[in-house]
Amino acid sequence: MLHLGGCHCGNLTLRLRLTRPPMDNPTRSCQCAFCRAHATRTVSDPLGQVDIAARDGAQVERYRFETKTADYLLCKACGVYIGAMCDTPDGARMVTNVNTLDDRDAFPPSSTFPNHDQEAVEARMARRAANWTPATTHGF
Ligand SMILES: [Zn+2]
């Protein structure tokens, strides 16, 4: 199923293809300080696909923190966080912030609350490669 979304001002748009109906996708609210500050609810599907496009690539922030192994993509104009992207041996992978999708209400309202703060870098990278969604970027 195809889900459309993006940031608030329209600079960043995303097209997310998931293999399951919205309600069958577990959503997660990561307990790191960044995700808690943004009240994120994320989804990923290793068999899906997400395409992110920027109208103005200079307005895309690739914020990195802690292990600095993923880019947290934010729009500089409106401040919205759309998801995190990471390079793996099989290409870019992403978790998408469900709250930026047009049909956000079709997804499960309650999340699991994983805490990855103590996770080693190798385990972190392996988890992302196995679980995150294959991703492409356009314009940034
Ligand atoms: Zn924006």
Side-chain angles (χ1 to χ4, degrees):
M1 290 186 65
L2 180 65
H3 306 275
L4 303 179
C7 72
H8 187 260
C9 72
N11 183 49
L12 280 166
T13 53
L14 65 88
R15 298 166 57 86
L16 173 64
R17 202 173 290 281
L18 298 172
T19 53
R20 289 170 292 203
M23 267 299 164
D24 296 342
N25 292 278
T27 57
R28 298 181 296 275
S29 294
C30 171
Q31 292 297 285
C32 82
F34 177 89
C35 287
R36 291 179 74 174
H38 285 270
T40 63
R41 182 173 51 133
T42 62
V43 70
S44 65
D45 182 345
L47 301 177
Q49 172 70 32
V50 60
D51 303 305
I52 315 266
R55 200 168 51 207
D56 179 0
Q59 290 295 312
V60 180
E61 178 69 37
R62 292 172 172 271
Y63 178 59
R64 291 192 156 202
F65 59 96
E66 299 287 342
T67 63
K68 297 188 166 48
T69 51
D71 290 331
Y72 289 72
L73 302 176
L74 299 119
C75 176
K76 289 181 186 176
C78 68
V80 167
Y81 164 63
I82 62 163
M85 189 169 287
C86 151
D87 284 324
T88 78
D90 295 321
R93 294 289 184 275
M94 183 171 174
V95 285
T96 302
N97 186 3
V98 170
N99 297 324
T100 65
L101 299 175
D102 296 344
D103 60 349
R104 56 183 75 78
D105 293 336
F107 288 80
S110 60
S111 288
T112 58
F113 300 93
N115 188 321
H116 303 296
D117 284 353
Q118 304 305 317
E119 190 177 41
V121 170
E122 295 74 22
R124 189 178 294 262
M125 299 305 284
R127 173 174 53 79
R128 291 171 176 165
N131 297 333
W132 286 17
T133 313
T136 62
T137 61
H138 311 270
F140 71 100

